């Protein structure tokens, strides 16, 4: 797929990986709609980018947004969904664990209500996370939600062909998802990536490159690309 002159909708497109994807798609000549719950957070966006407000867990609002924007060629979701809870299962706050799955339900809603308006050769990319296939202690919520996203995509790929759907799985990426600031932020990235083959946090732009690869390559569907600094081998 050539991205130029295509219409793209990016959920979570106002921060981090989604925002980097919005910028990359716009630089390649797509007309892009960046969506989140508080899109005013995005600040200045490039020419060709508009913003819309929508919560991906609100199915009615999402269906209305798709009706309004249809037809389109590219759907990306990197929306975190809501809160996420970390920690070992045996001491887990179970409401928090369940709430972590809002990411899955948000993605499922996007695919469920968006695919019907996607062009015949259209393409979808979702974002999982390295713990889906190699988790560290305390990451049971990340691991089970990420694995569910990847399993969903494998099944849906055969249901929506010839349209394509793929996943990009990031390792630790320096985005606003991590609230720490200053020295403690850097120290946490250094400590948490020390055992990785590429011992640093990745950038949102590096993940966006993986997302654009999945969009452009017409021979790729139902699979996952890892952009994780070697997390899976560490
Ligand atoms: N950063 C990492 O190290 C890392 C690692 C592995 C996986 N990931 C995954 O990568 C994806 C993107 O993460 P990120 O680091 O780019 O996070 P981020 O910078 O916090 O961005 C998250 C985006 O999702 C939007 N969002 C959250 N909940 C939403 C909802 N219910 N409806 C609509 N939009 C919603 C947020 O905007 P609003 O708050 O305005 O809604 C924001 O634009 C996530 O799925 C995350 O789990 C990230």
């Amino acid at each position: 797929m050539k991205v130029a002159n295509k219409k793209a909708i990016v959920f979570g497109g106002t921060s981090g990986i989604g925002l980097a994807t919005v910028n990359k798609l716009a630089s390649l000549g797509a007309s892009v709609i960046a969506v989140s719950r508080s899109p005013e957070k995005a600040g200045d966006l490039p020419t060709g980018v508009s913003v819309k407000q929508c919560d991906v867990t609100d199915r009615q609002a999402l269906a209305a947004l798709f009706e309004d924007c249809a037809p389109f060629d590219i759907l990306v979701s990197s929306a975190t969904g809501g809160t996420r809870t970390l920690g070992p299962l045996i001491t887990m706050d179970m409401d928090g664990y369940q709430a972590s799955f809002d990411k899955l339900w948000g993605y499922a809603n996007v695919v469920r209500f968006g695919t019907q308006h996607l062009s015949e050769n259209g393409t979808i990319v979702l974002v999982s996370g390295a713990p889906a296939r190699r988790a560290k202690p305390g990451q049971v919520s990340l691991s089970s939600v990420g694995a569910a996203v990847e399993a969903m995509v494998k099944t849906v790929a055969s249901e929506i062909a010839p349209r394509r759907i793929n996943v990009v799985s990031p390792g630790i990426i320096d985005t606003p998802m991590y609230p720490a600031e200053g020295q403690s932020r850097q120290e946490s990235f250094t400590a948490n990536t020390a055992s990785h083959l590429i011992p640093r946090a990745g950038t949102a732009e590096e993940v966006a490159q993986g997302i654009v690869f999945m969009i452009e390559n017409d021979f790729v569907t139902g699979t996952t690309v890892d952009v994780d600094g070697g997390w899976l081998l560490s």
Side-chain angles (χ1 to χ4, degrees), residues 22-23 84 135 137 142 146 160 168 188 194 197 206 216 225:
V22 164
N23 288 332
R84 59 180 196 152
L142 303 182
I160 67 168
V168 170
S188 138
L197 301 186
E206 286 168 328
E216 290 185 326
V225 157

Side-chain angles (χ1 to χ4, degrees), residues 13 49 159-161 186 204 219:
V49 179
E159 296 174 351
I160 67 168
Q186 271 325 309
F219 203 51

Side-chain angles (χ1 to χ4, degrees), residues 12-18 35-38 41 54-57 78-82 103 107 127-129 170-173 175-178:
T14 60
S15 176
I17 293 166
V35 187
S36 73
R37 294 166 301 181
S38 311
K41 283 194 288 197
C54 186
D55 184 329
V56 290
T57 62
S78 64
T80 41
K103 169 167 158 171
Y107 284 0
V127 178
S128 61
I172 293 176
I173 310 298
T175 73
M177 196 178 84
Y178 295 97

Side-chain angles (χ1 to χ4, degrees), residues 182-201:
Q183 200 181 338
S184 68
R185 182 178 182 84
Q186 271 325 309
E187 282 170 0
S188 138
F189 285 141
T190 303
N192 288 317
T193 59
S195 65
H196 294 179
L197 301 186
I198 302 170
R200 64 168 174 83

Side-chain angles (χ1 to χ4, degrees), residues 11-187:
F11 294 90
T14 60
S15 176
I17 293 166
L19 178 58
T21 304
V22 164
N23 288 332
K24 182 85 182 141
L25 290 173
S27 76
L28 292 169
S31 101
V32 190
I33 301 163
V35 187
S36 73
R37 294 166 301 181
S38 311
E40 66 282 357
K41 283 194 288 197
D44 288 341
L45 289 166
T47 314
V49 179
S50 58
V51 292
K52 281 192 186 286
Q53 193 276 331
C54 186
D55 184 329
V56 290
T57 62
D58 180 342
R59 293 196 285 258
Q60 219 175 344
L62 194 58
L65 179 140
F66 283 133
E67 290 277 349
D68 196 35
C69 298
F72 37 83
D73 311 287
I74 298 165
L75 264 186
V76 176
S77 186
S78 64
T80 41
T83 53
R84 59 180 196 152
T85 301
L86 299 176
L89 185 61
I90 55 170
T91 54
M92 180 67 82
D93 163 42
M94 295 308 280
D95 289 336
Y97 186 24
Q98 264 185 263
S100 305
F101 277 83
D102 281 350
K103 169 167 158 171
L104 173 72
W105 303 131
Y107 284 0
N109 288 340
V110 165
V111 176
R112 165 66 179 85
F113 296 103
T115 304
Q116 61 197 291
H117 302 292
L118 195 62
S119 59
E120 182 80 350
N121 65 343
T123 186
I124 304 172
V125 184
L126 306 178
V127 178
S128 61
R133 274 162 291 122
R134 183 174 167 80
K136 300 171 184 175
Q139 294 184 334
V140 66
S141 57
L142 303 182
S143 124
S144 42
V145 173
V149 170
E150 294 183 6
M152 178 180 79
V153 162
K154 282 198 181 87
T155 307
V156 170
S158 58
E159 296 174 351
I160 67 168
R163 298 175 186 84
R164 297 180 298 111
I165 179 166
N166 288 291
V167 183
V168 170
S169 175
I172 293 176
I173 310 298
D174 185 352
T175 73
M177 196 178 84
Y178 295 97
E181 288 180 2
Q183 200 181 338
S184 68
R185 182 178 182 84
Q186 271 325 309
E187 282 170 0

